[in-house]
Amino acid sequence: MPPSPPPPAGPPAAQALTGMTVLDLTQVMAGPFCTMVLADLGADVIKVENPQDGDQTRRSWGTSGKGEDSRAFLSLNRNKRSITLDLKTQEGRDSFYRLVRTADVVIENWRPGVAERLGLDFDTLSAINPRLVVASISGFGKTGPYATRPGYDLIAQAMAGVMSITGEPDGRPVKSGIPVADLGAGLFCAVGILAAWSSSKETGQGQYLETSLFESTLALSVWESTEFWTTGDAPLALGSANRMSAPYQALATKDGYVTIGANNDRLWNRLCECTELTRLLSDTRFIDNPSRMANRAALVAELEAVFTGRTTAEWVDVLLGAGIPAGPIQNYQQVLEEDPHVKERDMIKFMDHPVEGRVEVIGSPIRLSRTPPTIRRHPPLLGEHNDEVLGT
């Protein structure tokens, strides 16, 4: 894959969030992902880290490359500046307060109560800067019986219901393959920050906002909650199948699996025609979508008896040719190195790191015609911008 061109020399062009200054007190995943989204869009994100070892992801998560920082840290912290402050000392807090005076956003992901103990809570900070937006991400939120519990993606997925509907029926509990609780909380927080910042610019008044891994994960359960409220029965794991239509899932082929989305009567008719299974059109078990869902096991057996006769690639061509949504199941080597659409859409970016050299990262999926996201800075070394930001 040819490397994407380096960013142009000189000052960066104005971007959508140029002018927003974010003081980032977060670490690990949810918070750093949130602030990376803002940084990609042009915000000046100043990552405030403890002087000893910084964001714990630098050292204790994932594998390191040439330097001490892990690749996990590099994947979540581009376009940011790093400073080090000991916020447990008055000197460190005073330095932070000076930055607050001209900042737009402060974001933290400490357990409830920590910000208050440090003197970095909303009431204290908004007294310094009334237009400040203060955002918090925690495991379960600031109130409620779970508020003091530690929050991890796995725990949030389990308690919010995700692990009850992920995996094959009657199988062991399975979490989502990607950390939906962490990333969902980061995205919801970014949306909240943008809304609060927009309001602050209009009114001159900041506000406090919070979200949690648990609530963000629950908020993504739009299909599952609907099924429960409609039927009165808790949704169950369906493997790759869809709880609102059938057939909409992965089907076994001669050499693997193909995913299909024949999720309405028009597409069902086309599927029966291109698979030479037109006899199923008059089969009362499959006469409409509720019937197909009720008889999903029999439906899959009928389809796979045909699908296992040809390869995945052959079926993708046949199905797409008939106007039926379909695709192969790809691993990440195929996605990141071979997929022509990923290449054409320029989703793999490269950045130059002072220690690691050329590092590949996933690009932003946000496509703005006038102020697109850019990669302007490498993930910062610990305290790399102390002089630049603090003048020390």
Side-chain angles (χ1 to χ4, degrees):
M1 180 186 299
S4 53
Q15 291 183 272
L17 297 185
T18 295
M20 174 191 279
T21 299
V22 179
L23 301 180
D24 180 6
L25 296 166
T26 69
Q27 57 181 330
V28 187
M29 178 167 283
F33 183 71
C34 170
T35 55
M36 186 176 72
V37 170
L38 302 176
D40 284 355
L41 292 168
D44 179 15
V45 175
I46 301 171
K47 190 173 180 70
V48 183
E49 304 182 74
N50 71 73
Q52 287 72 42
D53 48 20
D55 184 334
Q56 64 179 275
T57 315
R58 286 184 182 271
R59 305 290 185 265
S60 60
W61 292 68
T63 56
S64 295
K66 299 175 183 177
E68 294 183 337
D69 290 345
S70 71
R71 291 299 294 266
F73 175 83
L74 300 185
S75 72
L76 290 164
N77 289 284
R78 66 181 180 234
N79 287 334
K80 305 175 186 180
R81 297 190 285 172
S82 170
I83 63 172
T84 54
L85 292 174
D86 185 350
L87 297 174
K88 295 180 180 180
T89 68
Q90 190 60 51
E91 181 182 5
R93 289 192 293 273
D94 287 343
S95 293
F96 186 77
Y97 293 153
R98 286 193 290 272
L99 296 176
V100 165
R101 293 191 185 104
T102 56
D104 299 287
V105 178
V106 171
I107 175 172
E108 51 88 4
N109 63 347
W110 296 314
R111 286 195 195 185
V114 173
E116 288 77 9
R117 288 199 300 272
L118 291 175
L120 300 174
D121 55 288
F122 175 70
D123 288 343
T124 300
L125 299 182
S126 63
I128 299 170
N129 179 353
R131 62 181 182 80
L132 187 69
V133 174
V134 177
S136 173
I137 302 175
S138 60
F140 295 93
K142 299 295 186 183
T143 60
Y146 303 155
T148 59
R149 293 190 183 190
Y152 283 91
D153 178 88
L154 173 67
I155 311 303
Q157 286 196 38
M159 295 183 67
V162 171
M163 289 180 65
S164 74
I165 52 91
T166 304
E168 294 295 330
D170 302 318
R172 289 174 61 87
V174 178
K175 70 177 180 66
S176 170
I178 62 173
V180 293
D182 276 329
L183 300 180
L187 287 173
F188 278 119
C189 190
V191 172
I193 287 171
L194 293 175
W197 184 57
S198 176
S199 175
S200 175
K201 292 175 69 176
E202 290 293 323
T203 66
Q205 294 181 314
Q207 59 185 302
Y208 177 72
L209 73 96
E210 64 159 319
T211 190
S212 72
L213 274 62
F214 177 76
E215 292 162 301
S216 295
T217 307
L218 180 59
L220 297 174
S221 67
V222 288
W223 285 141
E224 293 70 29
S225 57
T226 297
E227 179 178 343
F228 171 71
W229 285 322
T230 301
T231 67
D233 297 323
L236 301 174
L238 296 174
S240 64
N242 184 274
R243 57 190 69 258
M244 295 296 176
S245 59
Y248 188 102
Q249 65 182 93
L251 296 173
T253 66
K254 186 176 183 179
D255 62 349
Y257 291 88
V258 63
T259 57
I260 67 167
N263 57 338
N264 57 48
D265 288 337
R266 175 175 56 84
L267 293 173
W268 167 243
N269 290 340
R270 291 182 182 180
L271 178 64
C272 290
E273 291 169 0
C274 74
T275 56
E276 299 182 358
L277 287 172
T278 52
R279 61 181 174 80
L280 299 184
L281 293 173
S282 58
D283 192 319
T284 57
R285 296 175 299 171
F286 315 128
I287 201 67
D288 54 23
N289 185 60
S291 301
R292 292 191 288 274
M293 290 174 59
N295 296 284
R296 185 181 280 112
L299 174 62
V300 170
E302 292 275 9
L303 292 172
E304 288 191 337
V306 173
F307 273 74
T308 50
R310 303 172 79 167
T311 67
T312 296
E314 290 173 321
W315 277 119
V316 169
D317 288 342
V318 168
L319 294 166
L320 292 179
I324 300 167
I329 296 175
Q330 301 189 122
N331 63 38
Y332 278 101
Q333 185 270 328
Q334 293 170 309
V335 175
L336 299 176
E337 293 187 351
E338 300 175 6
D339 191 286
H341 194 76
V342 172
K343 294 179 181 180
E344 177 68 24
R345 297 285 287 177
D346 196 25
M347 277 298 293
I348 309 302
K349 301 291 189 180
F350 291 82
M351 58 188 179
D352 291 319
H353 189 273
V355 177
E356 300 297 332
R358 200 77 159 156
V359 176
E360 57 272 87
V361 292
I362 300 293
S364 173
I366 301 171
R367 310 227 170 216
L368 296 174
S369 63
R370 188 172 58 82
T371 57
T374 62
I375 296 178
R376 307 175 306 283
R377 295 178 179 271
H378 62 262
L381 304 177
L382 181 61
E384 180 178 350
H385 302 95
N386 280 349
D387 290 344
E388 184 176 306
V389 175
L390 301 172
T392 58

